[in-house]
Amino acid sequence: MRIAIIFLWIIHIAAIIGIALGYEDFFLPKSPFTMIYLLFLLIFFFKIESRKAVLLFIAFMFTGILVEWIGVHTGTLFGDYYYGINFGPKIDGIPVLIGVNWALLTFTTHLISKKFFTSPIAIIASGAALMVGLDFFLEQICDFAGFWHFKNGAGWYNYICWYVVAAILHAIALHFKLKGNKILSYHLYGVQLLFAIGLWIVITI
């Protein structure tokens, strides 16, 4: 697992450096492959050893796709936005990998939260906050990266809806006593946070 994690950090740091040097047309279209690699690490090293955990991941993935579909096609969730070209293949305007990311983020932030808190309310609240925190930084780079585009920017309504949906997923994960690899969770979450913050710095300086 150590080599796989080192490679994970290398490709993200290389992407930030490459984009800073002006090679965004090379790196950004490869974002779906990076997400697939994150999924690969989760499958093989998160220690999803029960049928329950597999079903939870699938349920969270389809929930993510559903809420994004509602958001894109009705504007009643997250605001007025649409997906760009760099998040992989889409079904009716929604990238399949966005569902994977919803599930992956729920799994990893849930394990991180359980490391620091024992209170159910604190676990749910902090897990949802970690997801929204990452979303905040992703919103700063999404247009540049070609991930998704808000017509009037991502406002407070987007973050409230994100938090509510994330909290529901964390409550479900807590109910079913989700377990996994905490160390891997730190890396899977941390590398996405680093990339979002790093790219934000690159495009603003």
Side-chain angles (χ1 to χ4, degrees):
M1 185 178 78
R2 180 177 298 178
I3 295 175
I5 289 176
I6 291 173
F7 182 67
L8 173 70
W9 284 94
I10 288 174
I11 59 178
H12 280 81
I13 293 171
I16 294 172
I17 295 172
I19 293 169
L21 294 174
Y23 295 100
E24 62 268 17
D25 290 339
F26 173 80
F27 285 98
L28 290 174
K30 295 176 175 58
S31 299
F33 296 103
T34 304
M35 181 56 61
I36 291 172
Y37 185 62
L38 291 170
L39 177 61
F40 167 84
L41 292 179
L42 188 84
I43 291 172
F44 287 97
F45 300 114
F46 189 79
K47 297 181 180 178
I48 301 178
E49 299 174 346
S50 67
R51 180 183 177 186
K52 176 178 63 178
V54 173
L55 292 176
L56 270 180
F57 188 88
I58 294 172
F60 291 167
M61 182 180 72
F62 280 105
T63 299
I65 293 173
L66 176 61
V67 296
E68 297 288 352
W69 187 93
I70 294 171
V72 167
H73 291 282
T74 70
T76 55
L77 287 175
F78 312 122
D80 196 357
Y81 71 106
Y82 62 95
Y83 277 95
I85 61 174
N86 286 335
F87 220 106
K90 305 172 190 173
I91 298 176
D92 200 18
I94 311 302
V96 175
L97 289 176
I98 195 64
V100 170
N101 201 40
W102 270 94
L104 186 146
L105 284 178
T106 304
F107 270 45
T108 55
T109 56
H110 192 72
L111 267 292
I112 294 171
S113 297
K114 287 177 70 175
K115 174 65 176 180
F116 295 97
F117 300 100
T118 56
S119 163
I121 294 177
I123 292 171
I124 294 169
S126 61
L130 286 172
M131 291 177 70
V132 174
L134 176 58
D135 180 62
F136 170 80
F137 290 107
L138 287 173
E139 301 297 357
Q140 314 311 312
I141 67 168
C142 62
D143 277 306
F144 175 85
F147 293 159
W148 57 85
H149 308 277
F150 275 91
K151 294 182 180 179
N152 297 306
W156 59 269
Y157 179 74
N158 167 68
Y159 300 113
I160 290 176
C161 290
W162 246 92
Y163 191 88
V164 170
V165 175
I168 292 172
L169 296 182
H170 276 282
I172 294 171
L174 187 64
H175 175 76
F176 286 101
K177 299 178 181 179
L178 176 66
K179 298 179 180 179
N181 190 318
K182 293 183 177 66
I183 299 299
L184 180 65
S185 296
Y186 299 146
H187 289 285
L188 293 182
Y189 179 82
V191 77
Q192 292 194 68
L193 185 63
L194 171 77
F195 178 78
I197 295 174
L199 185 54
W200 186 20
I201 293 172
V202 165
I203 64 179
T204 54
I205 59 176

